[in-house]
Amino acid sequence: MMGSLNILGILTVSFVLFHFSVTQTNDVEGRARQFFRSGHTNNWAVLVCTSRFWFNYRHVANSLSVYRSVKRLGIPDSHIVLMLADDMACNHRNPKPATVFSHKNMELNVYGDDVEVDYRGYEVTVENFLRVLTGRLPPSTPRSKRLLSDDHSNILIYLTGHGGNGFLKFQDSEEISNVELADAFEQMWQKRRYHELLFIIDTCQGASMYERFYSPNIMALASSQVGEDSLSHQPDLAIGVHLMDRYTFYLLEFLEDIHPASQANMNDLFKVCPKSQCVSTPGHRTDLFQRDPGSVLITDFFGSVRKVEITMETIDLTAAAEPLLEEKETRVFAEDSPTQMLSYVDQLPVAEIIHQKPKQKNWHPPDGFILGLWTLIILIFFKTYGVKHLKHIF
Amino acid sequence: MGLLSDPNRRRALTNLLTRLNTPICVVCYLAGLAWFMGLAFEPFTLRTYMSENAMGSTMVEERFPSGERALATGREFAAHKRKVGGMPVDWLVKTMQARGLEVYTQRFSRTLPFPDENKERYMVHGTNVYGILRAPRAPRTEALVLTAPCTEGNNNHQAVGLLLGLAHYFRNQVYWAKDIIFLVNEHDLIGMQAWLEAYHHTNITGMDWTPLQGRGGSIQAALSLELSTDVITSLDLVLEGLNGQLPNLDLANLFYAFCQKIDILCTIQGKLQRSDWDTPSGYSHAAQTMLLMVMKQASGRAWGDHGLFLRYHIEAATIKGVNSFRQYKTDATTIGRLLEGMFRKLNNLLERLHQSYFFYLMPSLSHFVSIGYYMPAFGLLAVILLLRALDLWVQLGAPPPGTEDGVGAVEQSSSGLSVLSILTPVVISHMTGAALFTLPILSQEMAVEHFPVSETEAVVLTAIAIYTAGLALPHNTHKFLAGEGTEQGWRVLKLVALLYLAVLLGCTALINFSLGFILALTLVPVAAFITPHVPKAFSAVVMVLLSPAFTLLYCVFIYQELQESPVSIADGWVLFLSVISQGILDHSLYGSLVYPLIALFVFPCWLLFWNILFWK
């Protein structure tokens, strides 16, 4: 009797211990799973200000504020491509030379003393911007002017300036359209130049710029909808210009609270600058993005978090990783078996990943109908006025 | 089909034209007049707004502190001026250098064609002093000008003091992107003309000046300051320049925006703004302001030192300080702040002011009427001339009643004679015009020898004499013509004269709308209704009363009424004579085109109609 009880007790204890170890291993695996959740290994940022002239001071201040946040959260200058179309800090009209302020009463100088501008002045053109994105730069381009991203890079792209329905104005002389931008992103996707992309635009009618995107893994935010203007925030009476745009001002305030270990996610970013503060309605687009925005950390795009975790346990990565891979494979390859050979283009069938609504084509009356209508008109004309009028036509 | 080529329809149209001609002309005239008067009615005007993006709103912080010190400097300037008995050049040079400007002087001299009795000068020598504040970080490609004239007597020294005070304040700022030139000119317009000619390397008026040693780049805008009291109650903006040219409306908008921001009372034409536009008195106030602007523009004079800048495509305005009996007074520091704000905003300009209108009328400082709205008023008057010309063309084209067989011969001979018969009056009228233009100045010595008058009076009276002599011409030209007195003849002459007048008035109205409109108001009825068949004595009197000289006389009286200082007939006559002499002087000193236009073109045109009246 005692023997059986003992055996029972030992069995229970060992069972409990085994359960614990299993759960602990499961916990470690869970954490490991967490560790590889985002899938990116490096971060890049492309920050562009497209307007020149002293009265567009606020666009430069916008770009520099995002630059400051991104740098503070860990992305180094070598991974930031900063394009500023004009030099506000050294403009003759700046009463405080070598500064660019974002808050009135000169509270925050976003120009700082370690700004590294990669494309400056007239170098900020549509062609250069697209070349940076797609990587088609001449061999002589220095490294700091290149976007050397790979297929595990998360890229933040921030554009600001004057825009309209479907375009963004560069330098007062040219425009980039939303179709061009969408095609550039598609080129990037096909060349595996990004893992995930966050696109933020602060211009008038900014939402029109992300309407045409069709590549996967892009999340987009804009400061105003089509038909709305993005407004500037505050003028500074000593400098004599508006310092910031509203959306970026509140974005900067939001980002100032983020630190590298912050767990704030994209849903918080979508709530930045509601209509009561911004006057325009900010918009966002997440249908091309595969992960749930609630599970995407701000630092996935704005920061460069190096994930290092020290653990004493051994983790079987193949065991932990397989379920992930399997899930991915089933999603990507649908009913086909993984061993079937696919052509290059079909390796990443976009249509199966993204379910887009078919575009509404405008209804056009059939061609035969139009031909018949015109024949009828001509016949009636000649009947009424007589065939002799034909000579007036020929 | 065939509206104009079908003879039946054409005859119907031309009958319509002939029958309805007079009523349409009358309606057009009244409509033109009503349209013009309606321009002052506020719902038909637009509010002024800043068009230039670079100037934005008025959000600069003005910090000029030293109004009192500026006034003290002004008093010092006045003392030195009294001591020297003219412009204290050395003191000015020293003071400007002490403020850190690059100082240069320019000497000029000019002998007027005849003595100017208003300003009592004949042989003018003077010196301009100007200091250039170089922009600390910018290349020397653009400049702004602030100028205060050094006038005779005890005037305007507060303006010079404020100019020097602002120079001192501006020198300490780092945000200037353009050079600023502080100019103190002597003998107001003559000195300004000398400086501008030397700056731009042109010599339009034949003045004698020394070349400028220092230069600042292309001038983007200029402000002229006239301030004769320590405190003011309001600031008056003067826009009208030489030949009726106006600066870009953005400059007026900038001034008004700052007046509202700093809360200074601002006026235009010396008249305050009223908000009761729907009452008759409110409307008449706006109409008076607009009419004053029209009169000033039509005179073609530069009504402030700024007027001469406009010819060089530099937007300029004059700001006058007015001290009237009001409770709320503004001190020099506030005026300095207004000027500082305006200059900071002009500093932000990237191109010349060109976004807003160049042709406009202002019934008040906050409302304006652009060229698109006021031109139809003139167009309606010009249409009368064209309708009359069409009517004459129709009459000339129709076969003469009666003789059907001798038509060909008569037409041939009359067409041959008609060329000569029109050419003669035209040539003689223009020669009279040329005489009116050149003789008064040339013959002043002869006149002074024979009559006990001064040179100025001699010139003016000669001009009036030639004008009156022109009235006697028709009785003389007919002696030269063989085939005078034909019906064809006067019709052809009137057709030519109508078209000539239409082109003349049209071109004038494009450049100087006010002058064109005022001339049209009096000349168009004359041109439309003069034929040899109207009662001669009555129409002669009416024609003389509507001639250009009498138009000028009426304008003088109306102008004095609008300024709320009406004059008696005798004073009005003296004023009229002085206006003529000023017009002749303006032409020779600054190149004003009003006197040549009237003498060489408008007067001969009127003489042609006079000729038609006395055709038989």
Side-chain angles (χ1 to χ4, degrees):
Chain A
M1 200 53 71
M2 277 300 258
S4 61
L5 263 175
N6 266 349
I7 292 169
L8 201 61
I10 292 169
L11 273 174
T12 322
V13 169
S14 60
F15 177 75
V16 168
L17 278 172
F18 182 68
H19 183 68
F20 267 160
S21 65
V22 164
T23 50
Q24 255 192 350
T25 335
N26 278 346
D27 188 43
V28 164
E29 282 168 7
R31 276 193 299 157
R33 193 177 299 226
Q34 194 88 336
F35 196 75
F36 289 109
R37 181 184 56 184
S38 62
H40 74 279
T41 58
N42 56 82
N43 286 84
W44 284 82
V46 178
L47 312 173
V48 184
C49 159
T50 59
S51 14
R52 50 174 38 240
F53 303 139
W54 174 245
F55 54 88
N56 289 323
Y57 185 100
R58 60 190 188 277
H59 297 139
V60 172
N62 289 350
S63 305
L64 285 172
S65 323
V66 178
Y67 172 80
R68 173 206 155 77
S69 311
V70 144
K71 205 158 152 181
R72 192 175 50 81
L73 291 171
I75 304 186
D77 272 320
S78 55
H79 282 230
I80 303 178
V81 177
L82 178 61
M83 304 171 83
L84 297 181
D86 201 0
D87 183 7
M88 295 306 166
C90 297
N91 192 311
H92 311 308
R93 295 167 182 81
N94 194 344
K96 302 273 180 232
T99 61
V100 172
F101 291 107
S102 64
H103 284 60
K104 70 175 177 190
N105 301 324
M106 296 180 250
E107 284 167 19
L108 183 58
N109 174 16
V110 287
Y111 200 66
D113 36 0
D114 59 348
V115 157
E116 189 184 293
V117 182
D118 302 303
Y119 284 83
R120 59 194 68 191
Y122 288 111
E123 289 171 347
V124 178
T125 58
V126 173
E127 181 185 345
N128 280 349
F129 176 59
L130 292 176
R131 281 186 188 279
V132 163
L133 288 181
T134 55
R136 296 173 193 262
L137 288 162
S140 57
T141 316
R143 199 188 164 92
S144 59
K145 287 189 171 178
R146 290 178 187 263
L147 177 67
L148 298 164
S149 55
D150 54 27
D151 61 334
H152 282 293
S153 306
N154 272 11
I155 308 183
L156 164 71
I157 298 186
Y158 176 81
L159 294 175
T160 182
H162 288 290
N165 192 353
F167 67 91
L168 170 63
K169 183 176 79 155
F170 266 71
Q171 299 260 19
D172 228 26
S173 58
E174 50 181 4
E175 307 163 344
I176 186 172
S177 64
N178 48 5
V179 176
E180 282 178 332
L181 198 56
D183 287 342
F185 287 158
E186 174 63 12
Q187 273 196 54
M188 288 174 80
W189 172 252
Q190 289 191 4
K191 291 165 79 163
R192 321 286 186 88
R193 280 172 69 77
Y194 70 90
H195 171 65
E196 283 169 346
L197 201 127
L198 176 64
F199 174 80
I200 306 183
I201 184 160
D202 188 353
T203 64
C204 302
Q205 308 194 45
S208 62
M209 288 305 282
Y210 62 61
E211 274 172 2
R212 301 282 190 143
F213 292 167
Y214 55 96
S215 316
N217 291 350
I218 301 183
M219 187 170 351
L221 282 110
S223 61
S224 57
Q225 300 294 329
V226 173
E228 285 181 349
D229 285 341
S230 287
L231 301 178
S232 53
H233 181 60
Q234 41 183 335
D236 182 302
L237 294 179
I239 303 182
V241 285
H242 283 286
L243 294 183
M244 282 274 266
D245 280 328
R246 280 176 190 250
Y247 181 75
T248 313
F249 181 78
Y250 291 109
L251 181 69
L252 178 66
E253 263 188 15
F254 170 76
L255 288 173
E256 290 287 295
D257 289 333
I258 308 286
H259 53 88
S262 154
Q263 296 291 311
N265 58 40
M266 282 297 161
N267 284 335
D268 302 324
L269 191 61
F270 295 157
K271 292 197 208 106
V272 162
C273 208
K275 197 174 165 85
S276 56
Q277 281 175 328
C278 252
V279 185
S280 58
T281 320
H284 54 89
R285 179 178 180 179
T286 52
D287 59 317
L288 295 166
F289 205 73
Q290 288 181 15
R291 292 194 283 153
D292 169 38
S295 67
V296 179
L297 297 180
I298 301 280
T299 50
D300 278 353
F301 288 101
F302 282 90
S304 185
V305 180
R306 287 154 189 73
K307 296 197 180 102
V308 176
E309 278 234 24
I310 304 177
T311 171
M312 300 296 253
E313 297 88 13
T314 51
I315 304 163
D316 186 1
L317 285 172
T318 50
E322 256 177 53
L324 260 165
L325 272 172
E326 272 171 16
E327 286 165 26
K328 256 201 184 147
E329 277 174 351
T330 47
R331 248 187 304 152
V332 166
F333 292 104
E335 289 82 43
D336 293 332
S337 61
T339 52
Q340 186 183 356
M341 289 296 290
L342 292 170
S343 66
Y344 180 70
V345 168
D346 292 334
Q347 276 180 345
L348 303 156
V350 171
E352 289 171 18
I353 302 177
I354 299 144
H355 303 287
Q356 275 183 331
K357 281 192 295 229
K359 247 200 290 233
Q360 294 268 13
K361 280 178 81 173
N362 294 330
W363 182 81
H364 198 70
D367 294 318
F369 174 72
I370 295 176
L371 199 62
L373 193 65
W374 273 106
T375 318
L376 195 66
I377 291 172
I378 291 175
L379 276 174
I380 294 175
F381 174 73
F382 284 126
K383 201 145 180 350
T384 336
Y385 289 100
V387 188
K388 66 178 189 290
H389 285 276
L390 261 175
K391 70 175 189 292
H392 290 296
I393 300 174
F394 296 112
Chain B
M1 283 299 177
L3 198 61
L4 290 176
S5 50
D6 183 7
N8 286 331
R9 295 215 183 142
R10 192 167 56 177
R11 215 178 302 129
L13 266 182
T14 48
N15 282 346
L16 202 69
L17 187 66
T18 320
R19 248 186 324 123
L20 290 182
N21 209 319
T22 315
I24 294 182
C25 286
V26 171
V27 164
C28 279
Y29 188 79
L30 294 173
L33 201 58
W35 188 296
F36 179 73
M37 293 315 291
L39 290 173
F41 190 50
E42 198 166 298
F44 297 158
T45 61
L46 292 168
R47 283 203 77 90
T48 56
Y49 54 94
M50 286 300 290
S51 301
E52 175 68 56
N53 216 352
M55 287 212 286
S57 61
T58 56
M59 40 175 194
V60 280
E61 203 180 319
E62 300 89 12
R63 289 209 202 100
F64 179 66
S66 42
E68 294 309 312
R69 208 172 335 150
L71 291 179
T73 318
R75 280 190 282 272
E76 234 184 283
F77 171 74
H80 279 91
K81 190 164 84 167
R82 261 195 306 271
K83 201 165 70 172
V84 173
M87 175 109 135
V89 176
D90 297 322
W91 180 86
L92 264 177
V93 168
K94 207 162 44 107
T95 322
M96 281 193 184
Q97 271 170 348
R99 278 155 174 70
L101 310 177
E102 283 178 27
V103 190
Y104 305 96
T105 59
Q106 181 205 23
R107 275 199 313 270
F108 61 90
S109 72
R110 171 87 201 208
T111 308
L112 273 60
F114 54 89
D116 181 357
E117 285 189 351
N118 284 16
K119 298 215 174 79
E120 284 158 23
R121 54 190 183 190
Y122 179 51
M123 291 171 50
V124 173
H125 305 279
T127 318
N128 292 331
V129 180
Y130 64 104
I132 307 181
L133 188 158
R134 298 287 182 194
R137 295 178 281 148
R140 300 174 177 186
T141 49
E142 292 172 347
L144 298 169
V145 176
L146 180 62
T147 158
C150 167
T151 48
E152 306 293 305
N154 209 19
N155 292 333
N156 224 26
H157 55 263
Q158 283 90 350
V160 177
L162 190 58
L163 180 138
L164 293 169
L166 280 171
H168 183 71
Y169 177 70
F170 284 176
R171 186 70 181 87
N172 292 330
Q173 311 302 322
V174 294
Y175 48 66
W176 296 113
K178 303 183 206 290
D179 293 345
I180 305 187
I181 303 178
F182 296 92
L183 168 68
V184 180
N185 53 325
E186 202 178 352
H187 298 296
D188 41 88
L189 284 171
I190 299 183
M192 184 58 83
Q193 180 71 16
W195 190 81
L196 280 170
E197 281 185 2
Y199 198 89
H200 293 97
H201 306 295
T202 61
N203 199 330
I204 312 173
T205 57
M207 219 189 293
D208 204 13
W209 36 258
T210 58
L212 295 183
Q213 304 295 321
R215 225 177 154 272
S218 144
I219 304 179
Q220 306 287 297
L223 283 178
S224 170
L225 208 57
E226 286 180 26
L227 196 63
S228 299
T229 52
D230 282 357
V231 288
I232 58 158
T233 53
S234 62
L235 281 176
D236 194 41
L237 182 71
V238 184
L239 294 170
E240 300 81 13
L242 194 65
N243 291 328
Q245 202 174 349
L246 299 169
N248 199 303
L249 188 58
D250 263 341
L251 202 56
N253 298 339
L254 185 67
F255 175 74
Y256 181 60
F258 269 100
C259 280
Q260 281 191 308
K261 180 181 182 215
I262 301 193
D263 205 20
I264 303 183
L265 202 57
C266 286
T267 62
I268 192 168
Q269 320 299 343
K271 293 210 184 277
L272 277 177
Q273 251 177 273
R274 286 167 64 145
S275 48
D276 55 343
W277 52 267
D278 42 357
T279 61
S281 60
Y283 167 74
S284 80
H285 185 86
Q288 280 175 31
T289 316
M290 196 180 77
L291 278 174
L292 270 173
M293 179 164 182
V294 163
M295 297 268 167
K296 285 189 178 174
Q297 201 187 4
S299 70
R301 292 185 57 209
W303 287 84
D305 279 8
H306 71 286
L308 299 173
F309 280 91
L310 298 170
R311 166 196 267 148
Y312 298 95
H313 200 49
I314 301 170
E315 311 309 327
T318 299
I319 299 180
K320 281 210 284 224
V322 170
N323 192 8
S324 61
F325 302 103
R326 234 177 269 279
Q327 233 182 344
Y328 191 72
K329 307 255 185 209
T330 315
D331 62 343
T333 312
T334 322
I335 308 175
R337 289 209 173 141
L338 181 127
L339 289 170
E340 179 200 350
M342 283 184 80
F343 266 84
R344 268 199 89 172
K345 279 294 156 184
L346 288 171
N347 181 41
N348 283 353
L349 281 178
L350 296 151
E351 309 162 295
R352 288 183 195 272
L353 286 167
H354 67 284
Q355 301 276 8
S356 191
Y357 299 94
F358 287 100
F359 297 96
Y360 50 89
L361 291 175
M362 297 191 85
S364 77
L365 200 49
S366 61
H367 289 265
F368 74 99
V369 180
S370 70
I371 184 169
Y373 285 97
Y374 69 56
M375 227 15 149
F378 176 78
L380 284 166
L381 294 181
V383 151
I384 298 175
L385 295 174
L386 294 177
L387 278 176
R388 276 292 182 212
L390 263 175
D391 187 34
L392 277 171
W393 178 264
V394 160
Q395 284 176 22
L396 281 173
T403 52
E404 284 286 334
D405 20 70
V407 162
V410 168
E411 269 191 32
Q412 281 294 324
S413 57
S414 66
S415 70
L417 275 173
S418 64
V419 172
L420 196 61
S421 65
I422 354 163
L423 209 55
T424 321
V426 166
V427 166
I428 295 187
S429 310
H430 281 86
M431 275 167 43
T432 318
L436 180 60
F437 179 62
T438 50
L439 280 185
I441 299 181
L442 288 179
S443 64
Q444 52 177 316
E445 294 98 18
M446 229 169 40
V448 168
E449 273 173 36
H450 296 285
F451 300 100
V453 288
S454 66
E455 279 98 343
T456 320
E457 283 172 12
V459 168
V460 176
L461 293 174
T462 314
I464 297 183
I466 298 177
Y467 189 90
T468 326
L471 299 181
L473 275 177
H475 305 290
N476 296 328
T477 52
H478 285 188
K479 295 203 167 67
F480 294 103
L481 295 176
E484 27 86 359
T486 51
E487 281 294 312
Q488 284 290 80
W490 75 258
R491 288 210 165 86
V492 174
L493 180 61
K494 189 171 175 193
L495 181 63
V496 168
L498 279 171
L499 292 176
Y500 180 46
L501 185 66
V503 166
L504 191 64
L505 288 179
C507 294
T508 313
L510 276 179
I511 302 173
N512 188 344
F513 165 76
S514 313
L515 185 61
F517 190 76
I518 291 179
L519 286 175
L521 270 182
T522 49
L523 287 177
V524 161
V526 161
F529 293 108
I530 286 296
T531 65
H533 305 295
V534 294
K536 285 219 177 3
F538 172 67
S539 6
V541 169
V542 166
M543 249 196 100
V544 168
L545 284 179
L546 289 177
S547 68
F550 274 84
T551 314
L552 184 58
L553 190 64
Y554 305 146
C555 284
V556 167
F557 280 109
I558 295 176
Y559 180 73
Q560 288 300 120
E561 277 285 337
L562 291 172
Q563 292 277 45
E564 284 157 24
S565 54
V567 288
S568 61
I569 305 283
D571 288 333
W573 175 255
V574 170
L575 205 54
F576 172 65
L577 293 180
S578 79
V579 164
I580 297 181
S581 74
Q582 285 296 312
I584 302 177
L585 271 178
D586 275 352
H587 167 66
S588 59
L589 281 178
Y590 320 119
S592 162
L593 293 173
V594 175
Y595 180 65
L597 179 79
I598 298 199
L600 290 174
F601 294 104
V602 175
F603 178 57
C605 202
W606 182 84
L607 273 183
L608 284 178
F609 289 106
W610 183 254
N611 212 324
I612 294 174
L613 180 62
F614 289 99
W615 191 251
K616 295 211 167 57

